Amino acid sequence: MLVDVANQPDAMMMQAALATERPRLVSFCAHVSGSWDAAEDLAQETLLEAWRVRDRLHDADGLASWLTAIARNVCLRWRRSKGRESVYLAHGEALSDALEAWGAEDGDNVAEVVERPEVSATLKKALATLPVATRVALIGSYVDETPQAELAARLGLSEGALRVRLHRGKLALREALAPADTASAQDGWQETRIWCPFCGRRRLKRWVDSESDAYSFRCSGPCVSGRGMIGSAYAPPPGAQGLTNSKSLLARHCLNLGILYRKALTSGRGSNCMRCGSDLVVGQWLPGDALPDRASPYEMFVRCPTCDLLDSGSPWHLSLDTPEAQRFWRRHPRMRALPTQEVETAGRPALVIGYESVTGNERLEIVADRATFETLHVYGEASQ
């Protein structure tokens, strides 16, 4: 489990107390979740969550019941996530293809969108990927036309809270119904409908060379990442040849880079420099190092010692290259990155790299080895 870097006596006592509860929590999580395969991970997530909010435990004698309550919530979240994942696996590709053919509706006229016969079947699949509470609110309001006062009482919400939930749900649907890529003929860049995964505030732009198939993706404005470049390549990665959909191409690009970068970090060497053919050197900048312009701590780099060609990837970029982050991004098209934290897990330095939905409360946290970026644990909605 994760521990504070500082070994304070109180922290060490708390860590030991939590560790003794682990076997019981595994059994409890297996019972509540119905899955022995997931029980170990759910117990680990319970212990991590308990460690983060340990200041809320005021009576040490109540540790067991406190942990049980946290574990129950973790398991229930997992079960809801598992249901949404089944829907995604069954309809994700078909839904993505169908959404490309639709245009965005003006204003908040969601009711008319729901009633359109040509999209109603696929829209139901889109609704199924939303959080249960949001889906119930949208269907109750716009499909069943339940009065807001009655619907709020049924859901145990105030009318104001219901309106907030409906607004977030409409944003999610509008994003799903957004138009396909539209051109903004400036320097050959085209604005896409993809939200920047780091700032969550602006759309990505895409540049394509039709002759060579080279491409680049970047944030359309000043970005919290410091650079805004999401990815670029001289040719599509394996399995992506012929893809025209920007999100599909970018997803393949990220997953391919994830494999290449982690292989280079593990072996300590990259491939050959495309400019001069020399062996590339792989390294990492750590806190306290003299960082190049716009570089960030924990960022890995690949450098050519002969011609000084440099490429690098921040923890945000390297986490975005994982299947878990790609799945979370697909479920929550408008997300933003959280500050990277250094921790220690199982005696090894690690980083916690997270994302959260801009339109909801969902969150994903990836715990990765600090040196190799090997994924050690995944917490949050996309952990299963």
Side-chain angles (χ1 to χ4, degrees):
M1 62 169 291
L2 297 178
V3 299
D4 274 355
V5 176
N7 291 320
Q8 300 176 354
D10 290 345
M12 295 177 67
M13 290 177 61
M14 182 64 171
Q15 177 191 353
L18 292 176
T20 61
E21 290 288 331
R22 183 184 181 87
R24 183 184 67 83
L25 289 174
V26 171
S27 298
F28 178 80
C29 290
H31 173 72
V32 176
S33 68
S35 172
W36 275 102
D37 292 337
E40 285 281 352
D41 289 340
L42 294 172
Q44 178 70 14
E45 184 171 348
T46 298
L47 292 173
L48 175 65
E49 190 164 323
W51 180 260
R52 288 175 179 158
V53 298
R54 60 189 181 276
D55 57 323
R56 299 180 187 175
L57 178 65
H58 303 297
D59 180 7
D61 293 335
L63 176 65
S65 58
W66 181 66
L67 287 173
T68 298
I70 295 176
R72 181 178 291 106
N73 290 333
V74 168
C75 291
L76 292 177
R77 286 201 306 266
W78 177 84
R79 289 173 61 179
R80 289 195 295 269
S81 173
K82 198 69 175 175
R84 289 196 296 274
E85 174 67 4
S86 298
V87 173
Y88 169 75
L89 291 174
H91 305 298
E93 290 298 327
L95 174 60
S96 177
D97 293 341
L99 290 177
E100 285 192 72
W102 301 349
E105 295 293 316
D106 294 329
D108 289 340
N109 209 359
V110 178
E112 292 183 9
V113 178
V114 174
E115 292 169 0
R116 284 166 51 187
E118 69 272 22
V119 302
S120 60
T122 312
L123 184 57
K124 289 180 181 178
K125 298 174 186 177
L127 285 168
T129 67
L130 298 178
V132 175
T134 302
R135 183 171 69 245
V136 170
L138 286 170
I139 292 175
S141 181
Y142 294 107
V143 179
D144 299 333
E145 298 183 349
T146 305
Q148 285 198 356
E150 179 182 340
L151 183 59
R154 185 186 304 170
L155 298 177
L157 302 171
S158 66
E159 290 189 51
L162 175 62
R163 284 192 290 271
V164 170
R165 184 169 294 179
L166 290 173
H167 175 68
R168 289 178 175 175
K170 287 188 287 186
L171 287 176
L173 284 180
R174 191 177 301 143
E175 175 61 24
L177 294 169
D181 301 350
T182 56
S184 60
Q186 179 182 0
D187 301 327
W189 288 90
Q190 294 181 330
E191 185 169 324
T192 73
R193 62 183 177 88
I194 308 169
W195 289 101
C196 174
F198 300 143
C199 70
R201 298 175 59 190
R202 298 176 176 86
R203 308 275 185 172
L204 296 184
K205 287 187 175 182
R206 174 186 177 185
W207 174 86
V208 178
D209 185 339
S210 58
E211 294 184 1
S212 66
D213 288 335
Y215 61 86
S216 294
F217 290 89
R218 65 174 171 84
C219 184
S220 59
C223 185
V224 294
S225 67
R227 282 172 288 185
M229 184 63 70
I230 305 298
S232 61
Y234 290 105
Q241 290 79 5
L243 285 179
T244 58
N245 177 261
S246 292
K247 188 64 179 289
S248 298
L249 175 62
L250 184 54
R252 295 286 180 87
H253 173 90
C254 289
L255 292 173
N256 184 64
L257 278 186
I259 296 172
L260 295 178
Y261 279 152
R262 283 162 179 79
K263 183 178 179 180
L265 285 166
T266 301
S267 65
R269 65 178 299 275
S271 56
N272 295 329
C273 176
M274 291 181 293
R275 181 182 298 172
C276 70
S278 299
D279 289 341
L280 298 175
V281 177
V282 179
Q284 185 182 35
W285 292 303
L286 296 176
D289 291 345
L291 301 179
D293 183 37
R294 296 189 294 180
S296 60
Y298 311 113
E299 188 165 336
M300 65 87 63
F301 63 84
V302 180
R303 183 193 299 275
C304 176
T306 302
C307 61
D308 209 32
L309 183 67
L310 177 69
D311 186 23
S312 63
S314 69
W316 285 351
H317 283 85
L318 289 165
S319 65
L320 190 66
D321 295 342
T322 62
E324 294 83 5
Q326 287 295 314
R327 184 162 60 245
F328 186 82
W329 193 12
R330 187 150 190 173
R331 290 175 179 167
H332 306 286
R334 192 172 183 183
M335 69 179 190
R336 59 186 165 219
L338 300 171
T340 299
Q341 305 175 56
E342 182 174 357
V343 296
E344 183 180 317
T345 178
R348 60 201 289 189
L351 301 175
V352 179
I353 313 161
Y355 296 91
E356 66 180 3
S357 170
V358 174
T359 58
N361 298 319
E362 295 76 17
R363 175 179 288 211
L364 170 72
E365 289 180 308
I366 297 174
V367 183
D369 183 276
R370 194 185 70 180
T372 65
F373 282 89
E374 172 194 358
T375 298
L376 304 177
H377 305 288
V378 180
Y379 301 103
E381 183 182 300
S383 59
Q384 295 294 328

